[in-house]
Amino acid sequence: MVSRFGRFRSAWIRSLTGKRPRSLAGQVFALQVVVVVLLVVAAMLALVAEARHDNNTEAKDRSIAVAQTFAHSPGILAALRSPDPAAVLQPLTEAGRKAAGVDFIVVMDTKGIRYTHPRPELIGKRVIATIAPALAGQVYTESVNGPLGREAQVIVPVHDHAKVVALVAAGMKVESVNGAVARQIPIILGAGAVALGVAMSGTALVSRRLRRQTHRLGPAEMNRMYEHHDAVLHAVREGVLIVSKDGRLLLANDEARRLLDLPLDAEGRRVSDLSSLDPGMVELLASGSTATDEVHLVGSRLLAVNQRPTDRHGGPRGTVATLRDSTELRALSGRAENARERLRLLYDAGLGIGTTLDVVRTAEELTELAVPRLADFGTVDLAEPVLHGNEPTGTDTGMRRAAVRGIRDDHPLYKIGQLIDLRPSTPQARAFATGLPELVPDLSDAPGRLAQDPERARTIVGYGIHSLITVPLQARGVILGMANFWRSEKPQPFEEDDLSLAEELAARAAVSIDNARRYTREHAMAATLQRSLLPRALPEQSALDVAHRYLPASSGVSGDWFDVIPLPGSRVALVVGDVVGHGLHAAATMGRLRTAVHNFSTLDLPPDEILRHLDDLVGRIDQEEAEATADPGIIGATCLYAIYDPVSRHCSMARAGHPPPALVGPDGSVSFPDLPAGPPLGLGGVPFETAELEVAEGTQFVLYTDGLIEDRTRDIDVGIELLQQALAHHPDRSPEESCQAVLDALLPDRPKDDVALLIARARAIPPDHATDWDVPFDPAAVAGMRAAVTEKVDGWGLPELAFTTELVLSELITNAIRYGSAPVTVRLLYDRTLTCEVADSSSTSPHLRDAATTDEGGRGLFLVAQLAERWGTRYTPRGKVIWAEMSLPRPDGSTEGPAWPDLLDAEL
């Protein structure tokens, strides 16, 4: 029967659509149409049946009422007792029938003989009915085929003092009842049609939405989709939970049941009633809030939970949660994170260790990098020679602590600078002896450490430090020191992975420390050489009040130098120079140039000629270097040379590619003289120019090298401006104070280049300490000059030098008149020495020679050389000057220089 109905339904659907449904939505629509039609038909049948039943019931009730009313009417018994009951009752029954709306009212005797009937011909005949129940006093209803057709009748007894004396039958024909029903059928059909239309419209809307939601999938596709969905839901390695808005668990797949250890009857229960869930998980599932990768501990598992609401796209209110077991993933990710952190640490070590060529700073960088990323405390111990730039011997185990760093400062480890003598039983000593790192997982179980310092070892363990890695700092096969890594806060001890990481860090640090050590040694050698080449003390002179500073670069020494060179006639030469490059070669070249400057200064040449000679020297040095090393590079140097005369307050200066000097006037103003720059030394072929200045007493000369004003972070013009600001408005400041103020204003803590700074305040010799004479070009004039000189020397309070000065000056004047040319002038200068100068217009240089005993002359300059402390010749644009300096008397009255007996012996 079922199969026949199914075939009938399919055939009916095909008859409606004309073809097989192409989708589940179409089939559902057809099925809904069939269901709606059947429901409407059933409703109509039910309405017809109900109407028929209601009409029958109404007809029955009406017949009973009519029959009982007529049977109990007051005149019924009297009519029955009359001689002709039919005549009396027939009109009454017909009137009652028409008034009551029934088809017949029949009165009969107890034998069933009619007294009345709508058809009078039937009166007196036996009724077609069952009268026994009525004779027994019951109301009896039945349907019979009577004279009027199929009739539904009710028979009611008529009592006379509890005795049935007659029967009354009332009823209706079945055709009358069916006619009433037939009159109701159009109304029922109309209502059914309306209901069918409404139902079809609703069905069409539902089908359209279903078709849209199913994407016109057929039953097979839907079934396969459901099977796949069910298979995937329970096969995935991720738990899925669906919770209603009131906190009930609607669905849980197999993985969720396994991860949460859910009971079999979990679905349908409130999540708060599931005892296997931890409170945090219950709170999350019951709250309905959104969660992304929240981690919850369920038993021994770490579950990553994601939760989203289900009503975002019109679905029912609730939440769906996914669970992922991240216990192993956490362990793997932890190991991966450790590996990434180690790689990151090694990368940072490549950038952060060895940033400076300083041994101690490199050791500090190692500890700063290792704490707290590898260890809680880090220490570095270096061999004593390494700290001074020397190579360790490899036999002495005594080391000095160079760096300490920790997460706290109250640690009991050895302090910086403390000398540590390693005992053979300690891990550090074993690592030093073998060159291999040592790992001590548990310091409390390392009795060998007690031999080093038992009290400190117990204090370290009591402090909480429980594990140690010690690694030799080894470079080029030589152990430079030990790196120690301590752990206290991290409960787990060091492992083999930590040992390999510490070894890698120590290896990188060892190379940087060795480079810094060798640089320290070379830097110390270069600095020592440079200091030996620079002036250790300034010479005594009266022309200038001098202060100076020399600061070597943090990256190594170079060729900066300065000099203060006394010249004849109380003049002073100021020199500042800079050799290109750094290191020993630059320092050695600087020494050669400084020596050459001293030698050229003895010739008493003007500044431009001094620079020209230096230029030739640098060119020769560069050529020699190129021939020796096959390197065409140019040495190169810059220099500024100035000569100050305190008598005339005249200054002449020239520069070769050097920054210009600054002049600070007595009023505090700062100026930079217009001094031709000139090319750097070593280029050759370009002349140098000398600038002539006249300065006021108290003027300060500021000479410096380019390291003072040049910097990578600022322009040279900015440096010049800063120098001017540091010097200005301080006329009473001493040169020493000015030096410090300039350095504070312009230099960082660690300058990148050498700096030489020379500041000199100009002094002037009093006018009464210098005397000039014009000498007639006549040998007879010598006598008069001798008298004048003697008088002047006695006036200065130097009678001890009167004879010597008279003799020297007479010889120089005689030599000028005899071998020179007019005009001849004499100047006598009283300063730290007594200087006699004789000038003439000839450029012929006098020649000192040893006269034979038979020679009558030729001993003049010899006498000058014997009587004077120094003597010489300098050339001027107008000729030459022959000068001689005589030492002033000592406090005891004696004078330096040869005694008269020696001089007489020499003449003999």
Side-chain angles (χ1 to χ4, degrees):
M1 180 67 181
V2 175
S3 61
R4 286 201 301 270
F5 177 76
R7 288 195 297 273
F8 170 75
R9 186 190 63 180
S10 300
W12 190 81
I13 291 175
R14 286 195 298 272
S15 67
L16 289 177
T17 59
K19 57 181 179 179
R20 293 182 179 272
R22 289 178 298 174
S23 68
L24 178 62
Q27 291 190 7
V28 170
F29 176 72
L31 180 60
Q32 287 178 335
V33 171
V34 171
V35 171
V36 169
V37 171
L38 291 177
L39 289 176
V40 171
V41 171
M44 293 176 63
L45 293 176
L47 288 174
V48 172
E50 182 67 21
R52 187 183 296 274
H53 176 269
D54 291 343
N55 290 336
N56 289 334
T57 301
E58 183 181 356
K60 177 182 177 181
D61 292 342
R62 185 185 301 173
S63 299
I64 292 174
V66 170
Q68 286 184 344
T69 300
F70 203 87
H72 291 86
S73 62
I76 187 66
L77 293 178
L80 290 174
R81 294 188 187 103
S82 66
D84 190 4
V88 176
L89 293 175
Q90 177 66 16
L92 295 176
T93 56
E94 285 300 311
R97 177 182 67 81
K98 294 177 180 179
V102 295
D103 289 336
F104 61 90
I105 298 176
V106 177
V107 180
M108 68 193 78
D109 61 8
T110 57
K111 294 180 180 180
I113 301 301
R114 303 185 182 96
Y115 292 124
T116 63
H117 195 276
R119 294 172 61 184
E121 68 271 14
L122 295 179
I123 296 174
K125 293 182 179 181
R126 188 177 182 82
V127 69
I128 302 173
T130 304
I131 61 175
L135 292 176
Q138 299 179 2
V139 177
Y140 182 70
T141 303
E142 64 178 348
S143 178
V144 296
N145 292 319
L148 300 179
R150 190 70 179 173
E151 301 172 349
Q153 60 184 6
V154 177
I155 303 173
V156 178
V158 179
H159 293 84
D160 184 12
H161 300 291
K163 180 182 177 180
V164 177
V165 294
L167 300 175
V168 179
M172 298 180 68
K173 294 183 293 184
V174 174
E175 293 178 358
S176 300
V177 175
N178 291 339
V181 173
R183 290 191 298 271
Q184 295 178 354
I185 285 178
I187 299 175
I188 295 174
L189 289 177
V194 173
L196 179 61
V198 172
M200 291 293 291
S201 300
T203 301
L205 292 176
V206 172
S207 299
R208 181 180 300 174
R209 184 170 183 180
L210 180 61
R211 187 180 297 109
R212 188 166 55 249
Q213 291 180 348
T214 59
H215 302 285
R216 304 186 65 85
L217 293 176
E221 287 82 357
M222 290 294 293
N223 185 55
R224 185 165 58 252
M225 180 181 293
Y226 173 77
E227 292 175 351
H228 289 173
H229 172 269
D230 192 61
V232 170
L233 179 66
H234 295 286
V236 294
R237 297 291 294 173
E238 189 168 283
V240 179
L241 299 174
I242 298 180
V243 182
S244 66
K245 63 179 181 178
D246 59 350
R248 293 186 182 275
L249 181 62
L250 301 181
L251 182 143
N253 69 343
D254 295 343
E255 182 68 8
R257 292 179 180 275
R258 184 184 71 83
L259 294 176
L260 299 178
D261 195 19
L262 296 176
L264 297 177
D265 61 344
E267 293 182 355
R269 297 172 57 184
R270 294 184 179 274
V271 292
S272 58
D273 298 336
L274 300 176
S275 59
S276 60
L277 299 181
D278 74 302
M281 178 67 76
V282 171
E283 181 180 358
L284 175 62
L285 295 177
S287 66
S289 60
T290 300
T292 301
D293 287 339
E294 284 192 13
V295 178
H296 291 265
L297 179 64
V298 179
S300 60
R301 297 186 180 95
L302 284 175
L303 301 183
V305 183
N306 291 273
Q307 183 167 274
R308 296 292 184 274
T310 58
D311 58 351
R312 290 184 175 179
H313 305 288
R317 293 188 61 186
T319 55
V320 58
T322 59
L323 314 173
R324 186 174 65 255
D325 189 355
S326 62
T327 306
E328 296 181 0
L329 182 62
R330 279 298 178 91
L332 292 175
S333 63
R335 288 194 289 271
E337 181 62 28
N338 290 337
R340 285 195 297 270
E341 177 60 27
R342 294 174 189 275
L343 291 176
R344 192 179 300 113
L345 182 59
L346 291 177
Y347 174 78
D348 293 343
L351 298 178
I353 298 179
T355 59
T356 64
L357 291 173
D358 184 86
V359 173
V360 175
R361 179 57 192 155
T362 304
E364 292 174 349
E365 291 171 346
L366 173 59
T367 59
E368 291 172 359
L369 192 72
V371 177
R373 299 168 68 176
L374 173 62
D376 297 319
F377 297 92
T379 61
V380 175
D381 305 326
L382 297 177
E384 191 75 22
V386 175
L387 295 172
H388 302 289
N390 299 319
E391 189 167 325
T393 60
T395 57
D396 188 7
T397 58
M399 296 188 181
R400 192 171 296 278
R401 180 136 296 177
V404 177
R405 188 174 183 85
I407 58 176
R408 296 192 301 273
D409 296 331
D410 58 345
H411 56 79
L413 303 174
Y414 287 119
K415 303 300 181 183
I416 294 178
Q418 190 166 354
L419 185 63
I420 305 172
D421 188 12
L422 300 177
R423 300 299 175 89
S425 60
T426 60
Q428 290 89 341
R430 292 195 300 269
F432 182 83
T434 61
L436 300 175
E438 286 270 338
L439 169 61
V440 183
D442 188 2
L443 288 175
S444 61
D445 191 24
R449 294 187 63 255
L450 295 175
Q452 178 71 30
D453 191 341
E455 184 63 29
R456 187 177 295 272
R458 285 190 290 268
T459 304
I460 290 175
V461 174
Y463 183 77
I465 299 177
H466 57 82
S467 187
L468 166 67
I469 290 179
T470 180
V471 186
L473 296 173
Q474 190 170 2
R476 299 183 298 106
V478 178
I479 297 179
L480 308 174
M482 302 297 297
N484 307 299
F485 305 97
W486 315 78
R487 180 167 286 182
S488 65
E489 293 295 321
K490 300 179 179 65
Q492 66 274 19
F494 285 116
E495 301 175 349
E496 292 297 327
D497 291 342
D498 299 318
L499 180 63
S500 61
L501 178 60
E503 191 173 5
E504 181 68 22
L505 292 177
R508 298 191 180 199
V511 173
S512 298
I513 290 175
D514 186 58
N515 291 337
R517 176 194 63 80
R518 289 188 291 175
Y519 169 78
T520 300
R521 181 184 60 188
E522 294 180 1
H523 181 74
M525 293 173 58
T528 301
L529 173 62
Q530 190 174 37
R531 290 191 185 95
S532 66
L533 297 176
L534 289 173
R536 299 186 180 182
L538 295 180
E540 294 182 358
Q541 44 81 31
S542 303
L544 298 168
D545 181 11
V546 181
H548 62 88
R549 291 287 190 279
Y550 173 76
L551 297 179
S554 59
S555 59
V557 298
S558 62
D560 291 14
W561 90 92
F562 64 91
D563 247 321
V564 178
I565 305 174
L567 297 177
S570 297
R571 294 170 303 126
V572 177
L574 301 176
V575 188
V576 173
D578 184 4
V579 176
V580 176
H582 292 79
L584 291 173
H585 185 265
T589 303
M590 177 271 291
R592 297 174 68 178
L593 293 182
R594 179 170 179 260
T595 302
V597 169
H598 273 269
N599 292 333
F600 294 145
S601 297
T602 59
L603 300 177
D604 210 350
L605 301 174
D608 57 335
E609 294 190 25
I610 295 287
L611 294 182
R612 188 167 60 251
H613 286 298
L614 287 177
D615 183 62
D616 294 338
L617 175 62
V618 172
R620 289 195 300 271
I621 293 176
D622 184 63
Q623 184 178 0
E624 293 172 359
E625 292 289 336
E627 293 175 355
T629 61
D631 185 3
I634 298 176
I635 297 290
T638 64
C639 183
L640 188 148
Y641 191 93
I643 298 176
Y644 173 67
D645 187 350
V647 178
S648 63
R649 292 180 285 103
H650 185 81
C651 179
S652 60
M653 59 180 67
R655 62 186 178 118
H658 203 81
L663 297 181
V664 183
D667 58 351
S669 61
V670 179
S671 62
F672 294 88
D674 186 13
L675 180 63
L681 300 176
L683 297 183
V686 181
F688 300 98
E689 297 182 34
T690 297
E692 305 289 341
L693 305 174
E694 185 172 349
V695 298
E697 184 178 4
T699 299
Q700 294 189 33
F701 300 94
V702 181
L703 285 66
Y704 52 90
T705 56
D706 57 0
L708 181 68
I709 57 174
E710 290 185 3
D711 191 86
R712 296 178 181 177
T713 60
R714 69 182 180 219
D715 206 31
I716 187 171
D717 293 335
V718 177
I720 292 290
E721 181 67 23
L722 292 176
L723 175 62
Q724 184 175 9
Q725 294 175 4
L727 293 172
H729 310 301
H730 296 284
D732 298 330
R733 192 165 55 188
S734 67
E736 190 71 27
E737 295 172 343
S738 296
C739 280
Q740 192 60 45
V742 168
L743 296 183
D744 293 342
L746 275 79
L747 291 186
D749 295 335
R750 299 174 63 88
K752 301 298 183 182
D753 194 7
D754 284 20
V755 175
L757 176 63
L758 186 65
I759 298 181
R761 186 192 299 274
R763 296 174 180 172
I765 294 180
D768 57 348
H769 280 220
T771 303
D772 294 295
W773 294 278
D774 292 327
V775 180
F777 199 71
D778 184 359
V782 175
M785 288 302 306
R786 293 174 64 178
V789 167
T790 301
E791 180 182 359
K792 192 63 177 178
V793 171
D794 291 339
W796 285 337
L798 302 173
E800 300 89 346
L801 296 179
F803 179 75
T804 305
T805 304
E806 179 184 342
L807 183 58
V808 168
L809 192 59
S810 63
E811 290 295 334
L812 294 178
I813 295 174
T814 301
N815 185 77
I817 294 174
R818 180 175 298 177
Y819 302 105
S821 58
V824 177
T825 59
V826 174
R827 183 169 73 169
L828 197 62
L829 182 62
Y830 173 31
D831 192 23
R832 291 181 176 271
T833 61
L834 185 62
T835 304
C836 299
E837 296 180 353
V838 177
D840 66 82
S841 60
S842 172
S843 60
T844 303
S845 175
H847 177 63
L848 176 66
R849 63 186 183 88
D850 294 331
T853 56
T854 58
D855 292 339
E856 295 183 359
R859 298 180 176 84
L861 292 180
F862 178 77
L863 290 175
V864 171
Q866 292 294 320
L867 295 175
E869 182 71 20
R870 295 189 309 158
W871 78 280
T873 303
R874 72 172 181 272
Y875 294 92
T876 66
R878 294 182 297 273
K880 67 177 183 298
V881 175
I882 303 176
W883 54 269
E885 293 181 355
M886 289 161 288
S887 300
L888 299 180
R890 295 172 179 171
D892 58 2
S894 63
T895 60
E896 298 179 2
W900 276 105
D902 296 335
L903 180 59
L904 295 177
D905 291 342
E907 288 182 342
L908 295 175

